Amino acid sequence: MQRSIIYTSLRNLLKDNIKWIFNLDIEEVTINKQISLPPKPEMGDMAFSCFLLARELKKSPQMIANELSMKMIFSEDDIFKKVEQTGPYLNFFLNEKNLSKAVLICSKKGSLTKPFEKKQDKIMVEFSQPNTHKGIHIGHIRNMAVGDSLIRILRHTGYETISANYLGDSGAHIAACLWHYEKSKMENTNNSEKGEWLGIVYTEAKKYLEENPTEKNNVSKVQKLLENKDPYWICLWNETREWSIEYFKSIYKWLDIHFDVWFYESEEEEPGKVIVEEFLNKRIFKYSDGAVICELEDLPLAIVLKSDGTTLYSTKDLALAKRKFEEFHIDRSIYVVGDAQSLHFKQIFSILKKMGFKQADKCYHLAYGMVSLPEGKMSSRTGNVVLFSDLKKSMNEYIYESYLDSKKDWSDEKKKVTSRKIIVAAIKFGMLDQDVKKNIEFRMEDWLSFEGDTGPYILYAFARIQSILRKSEKSGMEIEPDFDNSHLLTMSEEKYVIMDIQEFPDIIEHVANDYCIDELCKYLLKLSKDFSKFYHNCSVLKADRGLAAARLQLIKAVSEILKTGLNLLGIDPPEEM
RNA sequence: GCGCCUGUAGCUCAGCUGGAUAGAGCAACGGACUUCUAAUCCGUAGGUCAUUGGUUCGAAUCCAAUCAGGCGUGCCA
């Protein structure tokens, strides 16, 4: 339930008055359900509908609204000052002076942006999971953006968190890549990063195999050699695997994404086989057509070991889940994985439960929709991809051409740093501002045009605030800590900003509970838009001294919230743009 | 065949635990730069909420069916 100043005050006001006028005790959650915003701002600041009360009191909602509006009493220091009835609705008007004061006191104490109280639960979020020997493309970035942001949000809301990566460093795709690498003697002519180049080798291998299907036998041979730990191929595997890992690490660093633990598929194969053996003995698993399966109540049966005795994705996921529970003692386990694997995870969680892990109930598959290109589905097999490095390059060029080149007084280093921050913001915000479960289509032009509902828009609002703050400091207009003028903030532009900022903790709480990161994005956009309107209509530096001080406090609060909110999305805003 | 997800303005999407006249951004058109940074702001225009039926005082929202798209559906991940 919302704990913000406005919601709490309105709930209390309604509860007290309903008790007093109708002698009815009504639960806070019931009141909460009926609180909304009026359709138009001039109708009021907050609304309450009387439909549920009508049921309780056996009167028409209109009559109840009318009676409440006539008899309701507001105290001098309440943040609401009056109410108007419109049909079954009550529209409340805020007392701007009291509201501003109350909200800015909170902001000054830092209570709007500080991390929440520590919680008991330990949560692991597994994300990214790239395959070695393949390239990183924009589809992978959505996963990274979601997982990283979720970790940051959960940490902020007080959970102990572990961010986990899980590398696909075994399997057929590697055999194909290494086989082709050996056979074709391909050279890294572009001198691109070795790890990325491996991805190109892999794509070439797949193309070649499409045209020469008979060669697939040779790939299988390599795979067998790898599984049998043939020294030559293992050596090559080790070396190239390192290239991929270095490549991934450079991307994570650039995107400011961190992992607390790294898991590897190659390390879960043997433990996986042990688990299969154990639960065959316990009769939880059984043989079927030579493979090992687990039958489930409401789901299709799952195969947990292939008939040739080799492991599957599921084998390794079971082993890893066990490790997560037993070695890391986690209470909740979140898997950020594409929605194509929904059934797989339903099965895994169900099997874990059969295996006796109580934590299975606290496993959650955060399924995200795929990123596609206007030309169709992306695939590293067919090479229909936008590699991350290319994306980075073209965005960088765009930013320089359209804007940074004109900053004659900026150093090259400053331009470089700023460009990176803007690109990160554009990419991550683009990935996060839509419902995570929906497929998104990546259009280069839209991402490169930094207009409208984008990360850079928010960055720009933040940068403008920093500019005002810098100028105010220079001119000696520093905020005196004990001096409070917030009651002077009564203009509608100021009120909307105030209303936004007091809502921030509620937003975070909601986002952390429902994993709806897009709502944080939408909130930050709204705050930025409301700030921009304020910026155009209410000058800070040209205002009278007292008002200027109050407005400085206000924009400082906005700035802190923007920064905190952006950081929760994995975005670090530049001080200047 | 069955299961899950999606369908809202020309485009990209909000709104979906039922409530007031369905909202943003882009694109289009018109306006605001001797500025606290115009990557901004203001305004105009744009809708059979896929279709049909049901529940309800009230449905974009809930239910059913249909249509369209995506994904999955015993040895890929």
Side-chain angles (χ1 to χ4, degrees):
Chain A
M1 183 157 48
Q2 285 90 336
R3 289 181 296 191
S4 68
I5 293 168
I6 290 180
Y7 260 87
T8 312
S9 304
L10 186 54
R11 268 200 307 266
N12 290 340
L13 181 70
L14 283 161
K15 194 177 163 66
D16 292 349
N17 278 285
I18 289 166
K19 171 78 181 157
W20 176 63
I21 296 168
F22 297 112
N23 194 26
L24 177 70
D25 270 312
I26 185 160
E27 283 188 46
E28 290 191 349
V29 274
T30 313
I31 297 178
N32 221 52
K33 273 186 179 173
Q34 302 293 298
I35 294 177
S36 61
L37 291 177
K40 282 184 174 182
E42 57 269 26
M43 294 171 75
D45 298 308
M46 296 297 286
F48 177 77
S49 61
C50 299
F51 299 106
L52 286 183
L53 274 184
R55 216 170 285 172
E56 290 277 339
L57 294 168
K58 309 261 188 284
K59 287 185 191 176
S60 81
Q62 286 80 359
M63 279 174 64
I64 296 166
N66 183 263
E67 197 168 346
L68 274 170
S69 70
M70 302 295 278
K71 295 185 181 166
M72 198 170 268
I73 291 175
F74 298 87
S75 71
E76 274 289 299
D77 54 355
D78 200 334
I79 64 162
F80 289 97
K81 62 184 176 196
K82 68 164 177 170
V83 61
E84 280 176 5
Q85 181 220 346
T86 313
Y89 290 92
L90 289 172
N91 291 320
F92 291 87
F93 292 79
L94 286 161
N95 178 327
E96 289 86 355
K97 290 179 186 176
N98 292 343
L99 174 73
S100 299
K101 197 161 187 170
V103 172
L104 286 184
I105 285 171
C106 278
S107 166
K108 267 199 273 188
K109 282 191 299 193
S111 58
L112 294 173
T113 51
K114 72 176 181 208
F116 294 8
E117 272 179 34
K118 288 271 169 276
K119 295 188 172 85
Q120 287 302 311
D121 280 12
K122 191 194 260 190
I123 306 179
M124 180 179 278
V125 180
E126 181 199 298
F127 65 101
S128 195
Q129 310 110 328
N131 282 327
T132 63
H133 303 73
K134 287 193 190 179
I136 295 287
H137 56 70
I138 50 168
H140 296 111
I141 308 294
R142 190 175 195 192
N143 182 307
M144 295 182 204
V146 170
D148 178 59
S149 176
L150 188 61
I151 273 285
R152 290 166 185 262
I153 290 163
L154 292 172
R155 196 182 300 139
H156 184 90
T157 41
Y159 294 102
E160 190 180 339
T161 57
I162 304 173
S163 61
N165 202 343
Y166 182 36
L167 265 59
D169 63 342
S170 73
H173 72 279
I174 291 167
C177 174
L178 294 185
W179 167 77
H180 196 254
Y181 172 78
E182 271 294 291
K183 180 176 178 296
S184 68
K185 303 287 179 213
M186 267 179 77
E187 286 197 28
N188 186 357
T189 43
N190 301 352
N191 223 4
S192 43
E193 218 168 332
K194 281 179 175 175
E196 185 172 284
W197 177 72
L198 269 185
I200 296 165
V201 175
Y202 168 77
T203 303
E204 289 300 316
K206 290 308 266 191
K207 277 187 199 159
Y208 182 85
L209 289 168
E210 289 279 307
E211 290 158 18
N212 306 280
T214 50
E215 297 270 20
K216 285 180 183 167
N217 290 332
N218 294 323
V219 176
S220 301
K221 279 180 197 162
V222 172
Q223 195 175 354
K224 275 274 178 274
L225 286 165
L226 279 166
E227 279 174 21
N228 296 330
K229 309 282 181 238
D230 174 84
Y232 176 81
W233 288 96
I234 286 293
C235 180
L236 188 60
W237 173 71
N238 264 323
E239 187 187 6
T240 49
R241 178 178 176 272
E242 274 314 306
W243 297 350
S244 282
I245 292 173
E246 284 311 308
Y247 164 58
F248 298 156
K249 282 187 175 168
S250 72
I251 290 175
Y252 295 139
K253 189 178 175 197
W254 201 85
L255 286 170
D256 196 16
I257 288 172
H258 306 275
F259 293 97
D260 300 317
V261 291
W262 291 66
F263 298 120
Y264 302 91
E265 266 190 50
S266 61
E267 292 177 0
E268 302 305 327
E269 287 172 353
E270 288 312 313
K273 287 179 185 172
V274 173
I275 286 177
V276 169
E277 191 65 35
E278 180 188 344
F279 286 89
L280 265 171
N281 291 334
K282 290 186 178 164
R283 306 287 166 90
I284 305 279
F285 299 165
K286 67 179 188 185
Y287 284 105
S288 169
D289 295 337
V292 181
I293 61 158
C294 181
E295 284 180 330
L296 301 163
E297 279 72 50
D298 303 320
L299 294 167
L301 63 83
I303 300 178
V304 294
L305 196 69
K306 290 199 272 188
S307 48
D308 64 359
T310 58
T311 60
L312 281 159
Y313 189 39
S314 55
T315 327
K316 292 173 269 193
D317 256 333
L318 290 174
L320 184 56
K322 183 174 148 78
R323 250 183 99 186
K324 287 178 179 177
F325 299 147
E326 292 178 351
E327 275 181 41
F328 293 87
H329 309 288
I330 57 171
D331 303 292
R332 206 195 305 178
S333 187
I334 300 172
Y335 296 77
V336 181
V337 180
D339 59 7
Q341 291 176 50
S342 292
L343 177 59
H344 166 76
F345 280 107
K346 276 184 200 160
Q347 291 174 323
I348 290 290
F349 301 156
S350 176
I351 296 171
L352 287 170
K353 198 164 186 182
K354 273 177 125 58
M355 287 165 67
F357 289 108
K358 289 192 299 286
Q359 301 95 321
D361 289 331
K362 294 281 190 74
C363 285
Y364 183 78
H365 173 209
L366 182 56
Y368 62 90
M370 289 295 131
V371 181
S372 63
L373 297 174
E375 305 85 63
K377 199 188 165 184
M378 240 186 319
S379 160
S380 22
R381 279 186 295 109
T382 60
N384 181 27
V385 294
V386 176
L387 282 177
F388 176 65
S389 58
D390 294 333
L391 173 69
K392 208 169 96 176
K393 213 175 292 166
S394 34
M395 291 183 101
N396 194 53
E397 277 166 20
Y398 178 87
I399 289 171
Y400 269 83
E401 276 168 27
S402 65
Y403 151 75
L404 278 176
D405 283 339
S406 64
K407 296 267 182 192
K408 300 293 181 205
D409 53 331
W410 283 27
S411 70
D412 287 347
E413 180 61 21
K414 188 170 175 181
K415 286 183 189 176
K416 198 179 146 194
V417 170
T418 308
S419 171
R420 181 187 150 262
K421 286 187 176 183
I422 295 172
I423 295 172
V424 170
I427 294 176
K428 288 189 179 172
F429 195 88
M431 289 292 181
L432 296 172
D433 83 328
Q434 285 184 42
D435 186 344
V436 72
K437 68 171 176 282
K438 287 192 178 178
N439 290 346
I440 57 177
E441 191 172 284
F442 170 76
R443 289 160 190 254
M444 184 77 88
E445 319 85 66
D446 289 356
W447 287 55
L448 292 178
S449 128
F450 300 132
E451 282 177 1
D453 287 353
T454 64
Y457 176 89
I458 300 170
L459 258 40
Y460 186 58
F462 179 82
R464 295 217 279 198
I465 296 177
Q466 302 320 304
S467 176
I468 298 174
L469 292 176
R470 277 192 302 272
K471 285 190 178 168
S472 74
E473 260 173 50
K474 260 189 197 165
S475 61
M477 286 174 61
E478 72 275 7
I479 301 166
E480 294 161 42
D482 299 326
F483 189 62
D484 183 29
N485 269 337
S486 45
H487 63 278
L488 296 174
L489 301 173
T490 56
M491 285 181 66
S492 65
E493 289 88 349
E494 293 161 338
K495 180 178 72 181
Y496 294 134
V497 173
I498 294 264
M499 287 174 75
D500 288 340
I501 63 180
Q502 56 91 41
E503 202 186 357
F504 186 61
D506 280 347
I507 298 287
I508 306 276
E509 176 90 48
H510 174 220
V511 170
N513 287 340
D514 295 356
Y515 308 145
C516 51
I517 302 171
D518 57 313
E519 300 211 15
L520 176 56
C521 294
K522 274 153 201 140
Y523 167 82
L524 292 173
L525 268 178
K526 179 164 192 305
L527 176 59
S528 301
K529 283 183 192 177
D530 285 337
F531 164 76
S532 291
K533 283 177 195 169
F534 161 84
Y535 181 91
H536 273 266
N537 292 305
C538 311
S539 178
V540 176
L541 299 178
K542 285 179 190 158
D544 291 341
R545 194 174 174 280
L547 181 58
R551 285 179 174 168
L552 273 176
Q553 275 179 22
L554 178 64
I555 65 168
K556 207 163 173 235
V558 174
S559 148
E560 281 161 10
I561 286 173
L562 286 179
K563 182 150 195 167
T564 307
L566 286 167
N567 285 344
L568 291 177
L569 299 175
I571 296 168
D572 182 28
E575 298 289 310
E576 265 183 89
M577 273 177 84

